[in-house]
Amino acid sequence: MTTHKTHESKNTFYYVTFTCYRWLNLIDQSDAYHSFYKWFDYLKLNRVHLTGYVIMPNHFHGIFYVPEDCCKSINQILANGKRFIAYDIIKALKEMKKEKVLQYLSIETTEKEKRRGKKHKVFKTSSDIKELYSQDMIITKLENIHHSTSKGFWNLVIKYTKYNHSSASYYELEDSDWFITDYRKFY
C-alpha cells in the first residue's frame, strides 16, 4: 500500500493519500491549494485521469485512472506531484516569512536527503496507494473522501458539497470541473 512498493499496473484506478510532514497544516498555511490545481492540469495533459479528490489542510486524497499509454507508474506520478507542490509550499512560506516553520522543516531533513539536494521536509516520505478493482470500491472511496470535510476531526464545512477543494460538487451537484474525469466513463 505504500510507495515502498512500486505499482506498475495500467488501465486501473488507484486511491492515493499523501500527508504533510508530522501532519502540519502546511497546505493551508501556505495556501498551496492552487499548486494542486497546477498539478491536476499537468496530469490531464499527460493523460492521467483524476476521478476524485479532496485537498485537506495537511493531506490529500485522490483517485486516479492510469491508462495503458501512460509512461509513468502511479509512484512516479505521486513523487513528481509531491516534489513540485513542496517547492510551492516552501516558496510561499518564505514569502510569508514563516521562519520558524521553515527552520523546523529544514532541521527535520536527514543528512541523506540533504546530500540529494533536499532542503526541507514537507511531506511524509511514503504515500498510501491502493489499487481499486471495482466500481463499488471507487464509490466507497469517493464517498469517504468527500464526506471527510464535514465530519470527524475536520468539520471544515457543514455540507460536504460546499467544500471548495473537493470533487464532491462535481458528482453530487453535477457542477462542471475541468480536472475531473468521471469514473463512470471507464465502465
Side-chain angles (χ1 to χ4, degrees), residues 78-118:
L78 287 183
N80 289 341
K82 286 169 67 174
R83 184 172 68 252
F84 290 113
I85 294 165
Y87 291 151
D88 283 352
I89 287 172
I90 295 302
K91 180 181 175 190
L93 292 172
K94 286 178 179 178
E95 289 170 358
M96 299 164 87
K97 301 190 184 330
K98 300 255 183 174
E99 299 302 325
K100 283 187 178 182
V101 175
L102 289 163
Q103 184 179 8
Y104 177 73
L105 298 175
S106 179
I107 290 169
E108 291 295 304
T109 306
T110 67
E111 288 304 315
K112 184 179 178 182
E113 290 169 328
K114 288 177 183 176
R115 284 193 299 273
R116 290 191 329 239
K118 189 173 187 177

Side-chain angles (χ1 to χ4, degrees), residues 54-139:
V54 65
I55 309 165
M56 300 295 274
N58 65 4
H59 66 284
F60 169 80
H61 298 290
I63 300 174
F64 297 93
Y65 180 81
V66 180
E68 186 65 44
D69 61 351
C70 181
C71 62
K72 295 181 180 175
S73 70
I74 190 68
N75 303 74
Q76 293 167 312
I77 293 164
L78 287 183
N80 289 341
K82 286 169 67 174
R83 184 172 68 252
F84 290 113
I85 294 165
Y87 291 151
D88 283 352
I89 287 172
I90 295 302
K91 180 181 175 190
L93 292 172
K94 286 178 179 178
E95 289 170 358
M96 299 164 87
K97 301 190 184 330
K98 300 255 183 174
E99 299 302 325
K100 283 187 178 182
V101 175
L102 289 163
Q103 184 179 8
Y104 177 73
L105 298 175
S106 179
I107 290 169
E108 291 295 304
T109 306
T110 67
E111 288 304 315
K112 184 179 178 182
E113 290 169 328
K114 288 177 183 176
R115 284 193 299 273
R116 290 191 329 239
K118 189 173 187 177
K119 296 178 181 176
H120 300 90
K121 191 177 269 302
V122 175
F123 292 110
K124 284 182 165 185
T125 303
S126 65
S127 302
D128 289 330
I129 302 172
K130 180 176 175 57
E131 191 170 351
L132 302 176
Y133 299 104
S134 70
Q135 193 169 3
D136 287 341
M137 289 177 81
I138 295 166
I139 292 167

Side-chain angles (χ1 to χ4, degrees), residues 26-37:
L26 298 174
I27 297 165
D28 192 56
Q29 278 186 50
S30 63
D31 195 23
Y33 299 97
H34 68 283
S35 301
F36 283 86
Y37 297 113

